[in-house]
PDB file of all heavy atoms in Angstrom:
ATOM      1  N   GLU A 205      39.895  38.375 -27.374  1.00  0.00           N
ATOM      2  CA  GLU A 205      39.323  39.047 -28.544  1.00  0.00           C
ATOM      3  C   GLU A 205      39.930  38.537 -29.830  1.00  0.00           C
ATOM      4  O   GLU A 205      41.055  38.035 -29.845  1.00  0.00           O
ATOM      5  CB  GLU A 205      39.619  40.562 -28.442  1.00  0.00           C
ATOM      6  CG  GLU A 205      38.446  41.375 -27.972  1.00  0.00           C
ATOM      7  CD  GLU A 205      38.727  42.883 -27.965  1.00  0.00           C
ATOM      8  OE1 GLU A 205      39.399  43.322 -27.023  1.00  0.00           O
ATOM      9  OE2 GLU A 205      38.255  43.600 -28.865  1.00  0.00           O
ATOM     10  N   ASP A 240      33.783  41.561 -30.175  1.00  0.00           N
ATOM     11  CA  ASP A 240      33.746  43.018 -30.369  1.00  0.00           C
ATOM     12  C   ASP A 240      32.993  43.207 -31.685  1.00  0.00           C
ATOM     13  O   ASP A 240      33.406  42.692 -32.727  1.00  0.00           O
ATOM     14  CB  ASP A 240      35.184  43.549 -30.445  1.00  0.00           C
ATOM     15  CG  ASP A 240      35.240  45.055 -30.640  1.00  0.00           C
ATOM     16  OD1 ASP A 240      34.497  45.567 -31.501  1.00  0.00           O
ATOM     17  OD2 ASP A 240      36.027  45.728 -29.952  1.00  0.00           O
ATOM     18  N   HIS A 243      34.746  43.867 -34.973  1.00  0.00           N
ATOM     19  CA  HIS A 243      35.868  43.015 -35.391  1.00  0.00           C
ATOM     20  C   HIS A 243      35.436  41.900 -36.338  1.00  0.00           C
ATOM     21  O   HIS A 243      35.739  40.731 -36.120  1.00  0.00           O
ATOM     22  CB  HIS A 243      36.568  42.427 -34.163  1.00  0.00           C
ATOM     23  CG  HIS A 243      37.299  43.456 -33.365  1.00  0.00           C
ATOM     24  ND1 HIS A 243      38.205  43.135 -32.384  1.00  0.00           N
ATOM     25  CD2 HIS A 243      37.281  44.806 -33.408  1.00  0.00           C
ATOM     26  CE1 HIS A 243      38.691  44.245 -31.846  1.00  0.00           C
ATOM     27  NE2 HIS A 243      38.130  45.270 -32.448  1.00  0.00           N
ATOM     28  N   HIS A 267      32.063  43.635 -26.667  1.00  0.00           N
ATOM     29  CA  HIS A 267      32.506  45.014 -26.800  1.00  0.00           C
ATOM     30  C   HIS A 267      31.508  45.642 -27.756  1.00  0.00           C
ATOM     31  O   HIS A 267      31.491  45.342 -28.947  1.00  0.00           O
ATOM     32  CB  HIS A 267      33.927  45.098 -27.364  1.00  0.00           C
ATOM     33  CG  HIS A 267      34.975  44.970 -26.308  1.00  0.00           C
ATOM     34  ND1 HIS A 267      36.316  45.027 -26.577  1.00  0.00           N
ATOM     35  CD2 HIS A 267      34.856  44.815 -24.975  1.00  0.00           C
ATOM     36  CE1 HIS A 267      36.995  44.904 -25.440  1.00  0.00           C
ATOM     37  NE2 HIS A 267      36.118  44.762 -24.452  1.00  0.00           N
ATOM     38  N   ASP A 314      32.931  49.595 -26.295  1.00  0.00           N
ATOM     39  CA  ASP A 314      34.292  49.826 -26.782  1.00  0.00           C
ATOM     40  C   ASP A 314      34.172  50.689 -28.034  1.00  0.00           C
ATOM     41  O   ASP A 314      34.133  50.181 -29.149  1.00  0.00           O
ATOM     42  CB  ASP A 314      34.977  48.485 -27.100  1.00  0.00           C
ATOM     43  CG  ASP A 314      36.427  48.687 -27.492  1.00  0.00           C
ATOM     44  OD1 ASP A 314      36.918  49.821 -27.397  1.00  0.00           O
ATOM     45  OD2 ASP A 314      37.076  47.697 -27.896  1.00  0.00           O
TER      46      ASP A 314
HETATM   47 MN1  LIG B  14      37.459  45.686 -28.374  1.00  0.00          MN
END
Side-chain angles (χ1 to χ4, degrees):
E205 258 184 282
D240 180 314
H243 291 193
H267 275 181
D314 185 7

